[in-house]
Amino acid sequence: MPSSQSTDRTRTDVLLIFPPQTEARFFPYLSLPYLTGHLRRGGRRVHQADLNIAVLHELLRCPALLDDAVRAQDTSDDGTAVSDWYRRAVADVFAAHIGELRAHVLHKEPAGELGPDRAVRLATLALELLVRDTFLVRTWEDLGRLDDAVRRAADRPPAASDVPLVSLHRLVTELLGRHRPRVVGLSVAFFSQLAPALLIAAWVRQLAPDTQICLGGQQVMLRHDSLVRLPVVRETVDALCPTAGEEPLERWLDALDGTVPLTAVPGMTWLPRSGAGPRTGPAVTLRFRDLGPPDFTGLPFRSYLNDALELAIVSCVGCYWGRCAFCSYGNRSLPQGSYQQGTAPQIADAVEAVVRATGTRYVSVADENTNLRLILKAMRAARARGIRVRFGVRGRLEAALTDPGFCHDLAAVGCAMISVGYEGTSQRLLDRMERGVRAADYQRILDNLDAAGIAVRFTVMGQVLDETPDEFEASLRFLVDNERRIGIDALELMVAEPGSRLVGSPEEYGLALDTSDRLAGNPELSYLAGRVGHPLAVRGGPTRTEALDRLVRIYDTVRPGRASASHPAQNGHRTPAVTALRPHTWVRTVPAHADDRTADRVTLADLVRERFYALSRDDVEQRADGLLTARTVRGSRLLARLADAAAGTPDPAHSADPAPSARSSS
């Protein structure tokens, strides 16, 4: 508890920051709300700031930032290259729809002509254009280069930095001035956040030298030993927290108050700056069952990149299965006592608290692998209290789901979606990785979930050990046979992350690992390379190039029927022949200076869906006001296909048949 004698009541005890740059923008990442809730219940003054979403909010409030960034990205002196035109067109569409974007993203109000899905996509594209080719989105070959780049960026005057870094520095400066924190805690969940987090730490050290700085989160747990050795960490950071942060932060504040010695603070690795290190404190004793619900107060939880308000809870720490060879997170749960699971009443308390505080109607249970029977009990308990929400979980295609009654029970308490990993249908490989599932059950599980109305979304893994061509073909056939029932959120190659069983015993899995400082991820397929680990090769298995080609085949072949990140959902509707079509305002005609074939074609760019359409001028002509009209029967069919692709709307005022003289051109 705070000491009234030693605490400066004009200062915030802890400023918690979730740094850029990650795709985790659907709802607030849970590390901050859980830490905040625990510390506030202990009487501490806490402010939490999600700078990952704040960069987008700054752009929505000041769309001219995108114009500045785009001009800096021009590749030709006169801006006539097609890439320059494309980026400027996106910035123009973003500015033209800024009112709708602000309404939906910031306030979850109707998005007008755009609609919620396009509003989210356009806001995302604008943000990615803003940060393109900047420090925030660099990928790294090794930690040494990352360290050098962070220190150079920290030494550079903010005004001389890229547009998004100037904005980010201003946000950090404002937070420090407003809250005067005693401690700044940075939660680094994804590798792509590591360099920005260290840069923010360096800025904090420059702007508020007396502030204590701590790094925690998944990346600190995975890379603790490497981070301890990084010069920028040793020069800037006071402590690393490679465990759950509630008790370490709570006790550290007590130590800063003078009520306990620093040696009594658990779970921290003290670095030279702290005056106590380098050394690690005692183990934490606080258990997950002792924690209360997350507290989202202070976060703009209604203003995330989602179609509707969505928030999250967790039901456990770790994974109750924990054996999957590639999962560093789950593998940490293998030592006895490492996996911590909540109780059904505790989880119901969290759901109730979040719903009553925010009004959300959808809750994501953001575990790595949810105990479905526990969640069923918890959601029944929540419903008994009058709390009715839809929810999604992450899990495996496990035996419990072969029972249709169990699937219907899940749906009855609100389960709307299950996200699962898919490593194929080879039982040989599933057993070798200790996935704990039976491929023979997969079809029955999908049938049961489909009958219950529960959507299934896959993350598809490639380079699954020594997968044979026949095994891959069988796995691909399963996806094709069930494409109407699934969504695909991601395609990614297997990664040997630190702490995983793959890294602990590579020879057991037929792997050759590069254990130098080199880093390897999925830059071709995942946002900012996704998971990052050691470079690997599979003895007797596909090369990396061959494995990538297999995933590309999946992308090209499988057409998911559920909304998915890899392909939009299909509705099966076909528009009759269209003689005139007016493109939407976000669908632009590529100008002559950017298209060397404008004499024989009209090229359209859907800047929200990121698609191009080429229309022969023999079949379609475009008026000065942008209206497209069919010259032939084939042209009418092409315009109908554009309408089906939501690139424009048929214009009934110009619904005459194609000219008789042109009808023979079909």
Side-chain angles (χ1 to χ4, degrees):
M1 290 294 292
S3 166
S4 59
Q5 294 180 344
S6 58
T7 302
D8 181 353
R9 305 299 295 180
T10 67
R11 301 184 67 179
T12 297
D13 289 311
V14 183
L15 170 60
L16 296 172
I17 293 176
F18 189 67
Q21 184 72 13
T22 164
E23 283 187 307
R25 309 185 195 107
F26 300 110
F27 48 76
Y29 194 80
L30 279 172
S31 56
L32 268 59
Y34 270 98
L35 288 167
T36 296
H38 180 77
L39 293 172
R40 283 177 176 165
R41 283 187 288 273
R44 292 297 182 180
R45 296 180 306 285
V46 183
H47 182 76
Q48 51 186 333
D50 185 344
L51 296 186
N52 186 53
I53 199 69
V55 173
L56 171 63
H57 292 170
E58 284 290 291
L59 177 58
L60 289 170
R61 294 185 183 101
C62 185
L65 291 173
L66 189 57
D67 292 326
D68 295 339
V70 165
R71 280 195 296 272
Q73 295 169 20
D74 280 350
T75 58
S76 59
D77 293 338
D78 57 3
T80 58
V82 64
S83 57
D84 297 341
W85 170 83
Y86 188 90
R87 288 190 292 270
R88 291 188 175 193
V90 171
D92 182 61
V93 169
F94 176 74
H97 291 277
I98 192 65
E100 296 157 85
L101 293 171
R102 288 169 177 163
H104 178 70
V105 175
L106 297 179
H107 308 294
K108 293 297 175 283
E109 295 173 353
E113 182 187 15
L114 273 177
D117 178 64
R118 288 194 191 92
V120 168
R121 288 182 64 90
L122 180 54
T124 302
L125 291 171
L127 175 60
E128 296 308 329
L129 186 54
L130 176 75
V131 300
R132 180 179 179 269
D133 293 337
T134 70
F135 176 85
L136 292 181
V137 293
R138 282 188 61 181
T139 55
W140 309 97
E141 296 180 14
D142 56 64
L143 288 179
R145 298 189 189 195
L146 181 152
D147 181 88
D148 291 342
V150 169
R151 291 199 284 172
R152 287 197 303 272
D155 290 340
R156 188 178 302 124
S161 300
D162 298 314
V163 171
L165 279 190
V166 173
S167 180
L168 183 63
H169 186 273
R170 182 174 63 253
L171 290 169
V172 172
T173 302
E174 291 172 354
L175 284 170
L176 293 174
R178 187 181 313 125
H179 298 285
R180 299 180 58 237
R182 303 166 71 202
V183 172
V184 169
L186 290 143
S187 177
V188 190
F190 305 97
F191 186 80
S192 58
Q193 295 176 287
L194 183 57
L198 292 174
L199 177 58
I200 291 171
W203 286 342
V204 172
R205 183 60 64 212
Q206 295 167 2
L207 296 166
D210 65 331
T211 299
Q212 305 289 303
I213 302 172
C214 174
L215 258 61
Q218 174 82 346
Q219 294 305 311
V220 175
M221 298 178 189
L222 289 179
R223 306 174 198 283
H224 171 272
D225 293 348
S226 297
L227 292 176
V228 165
R229 297 193 297 268
L230 278 189
V232 71
V233 172
R234 297 174 67 84
E235 295 164 6
T236 304
V237 177
D238 296 284
L240 298 178
C241 183
T243 185
E246 285 82 0
E247 186 180 5
L249 281 173
E250 179 182 28
R251 299 299 285 165
W252 192 12
L253 290 169
D254 291 340
L256 293 177
D257 287 346
T259 60
V260 301
L262 197 63
T263 54
V265 178
M268 292 288 198
T269 295
W270 303 107
L271 300 174
R273 282 197 53 84
S274 69
R279 63 172 178 76
T280 301
V284 298
T285 58
L286 186 71
R287 306 293 289 176
F288 181 74
R289 291 189 177 198
D290 301 323
L291 293 181
D295 184 346
F296 294 93
T297 307
L299 291 172
F301 55 81
R302 299 187 190 281
S303 304
Y304 280 71
L305 277 176
N306 220 322
D307 292 353
L309 175 61
E310 178 179 341
L311 293 171
I313 64 161
V314 291
S315 70
C316 61
V317 173
C319 172
Y320 73 86
W321 177 250
R323 297 177 178 85
C324 302
F326 52 80
C327 184
S328 59
Y329 181 84
N331 295 166
R332 289 202 304 273
S333 302
L334 289 175
Q336 187 173 4
S338 297
Y339 174 66
Q340 300 179 46
Q341 183 173 276
T343 65
Q346 176 191 10
I347 298 165
D349 287 345
V351 172
E352 181 177 10
V354 170
V355 170
R356 295 198 187 282
T358 67
T360 186
R361 296 180 180 179
Y362 191 97
V363 173
S364 287
V365 184
D367 307 322
E368 191 71 16
N369 181 28
T370 298
N371 182 332
L372 296 177
R373 297 191 185 279
L374 173 66
I375 285 298
L376 179 60
K377 292 178 183 177
M379 291 302 183
R380 280 174 172 164
R383 291 206 159 209
R385 305 177 192 181
I387 303 298
R388 294 177 175 269
V389 292
R390 299 170 70 244
F391 65 93
V393 298
R394 290 191 297 198
R396 299 175 300 152
L397 294 172
E398 58 189 49
L401 296 172
T402 62
D403 177 1
F406 181 70
C407 294
H408 280 282
D409 288 344
L410 283 173
V413 296
C415 185
M417 186 270 292
I418 294 181
S419 294
V420 298
Y422 179 75
E423 300 81 25
T425 57
S426 166
Q427 195 62 49
R428 176 184 74 87
L429 294 172
L430 294 173
D431 290 345
R432 193 172 182 189
M433 294 182 294
E434 285 200 66
R435 280 293 274 144
V437 294
R438 295 178 66 248
D441 292 337
Y442 285 5
Q443 190 61 61
R444 183 190 306 176
I445 290 171
L446 288 189
D447 292 344
N448 290 345
L449 293 173
D450 184 59
I454 299 174
V456 183
R457 301 172 74 117
F458 279 18
T459 294
V460 180
M461 182 179 287
Q463 204 169 17
V464 182
L465 303 182
D466 58 344
E467 180 183 53
T468 68
D470 287 345
E471 287 171 329
F472 168 74
E473 294 297 336
S475 298
L476 175 59
R477 278 197 305 274
F478 179 83
L479 293 175
V480 171
D481 290 346
N482 290 281
E483 62 183 359
R484 303 298 298 172
R485 298 178 171 190
I486 64 172
I488 295 180
D489 285 337
L491 303 163
E492 60 186 18
L493 296 178
M494 178 180 285
V495 172
E497 282 190 306
S500 68
R501 297 172 70 190
L502 291 181
V503 173
S505 304
E507 64 285 345
E508 183 178 338
Y509 303 100
L511 300 183
L513 295 186
D514 178 348
T515 56
S516 69
D517 291 334
R518 289 183 58 217
L519 300 171
N522 279 283
E524 303 92 344
L525 300 167
S526 300
Y527 187 72
L528 301 184
R531 298 176 185 269
V532 173
H534 299 288
L536 66 82
V538 183
R539 297 187 181 96
T543 65
R544 191 175 192 282
T545 299
E546 291 168 341
L548 275 172
D549 288 343
R550 290 178 178 181
L551 289 181
V552 170
R553 271 195 66 200
I554 291 174
Y555 179 86
D556 290 338
T557 305
V558 182
R559 289 292 179 266
R562 301 278 188 175
S564 103
S566 62
H567 290 289
Q570 304 171 13
N571 59 23
H573 175 73
R574 291 293 180 267
T575 300
V578 172
T579 56
L581 181 130
R582 190 167 298 281
H584 292 304
T585 56
W586 53 88
V587 178
R588 300 295 175 91
T589 303
V590 180
H593 67 73
D595 182 2
D596 58 7
R597 290 186 55 190
T598 54
D600 59 4
R601 73 183 181 188
V602 177
T603 303
L604 302 178
D606 185 332
L607 301 170
V608 175
R609 293 292 181 192
E610 299 179 276
R611 294 178 177 176
F612 285 89
Y613 305 98
L615 309 171
S616 170
R617 292 188 183 274
D618 290 339
D619 298 310
V620 174
E621 62 182 347
Q622 187 171 37
R623 298 191 335 189
D625 65 355
L627 184 74
L628 297 167
T629 58
R631 303 183 66 203
T632 65
V633 172
R634 182 174 183 273
S636 295
R637 292 199 297 266
L638 289 173
L639 295 185
R641 291 174 63 184
L642 283 178
D644 290 339
T649 55
D651 190 327
H654 300 82
S655 56
D657 289 337
S661 61
R663 290 182 182 175
S664 62
S665 300
S666 61

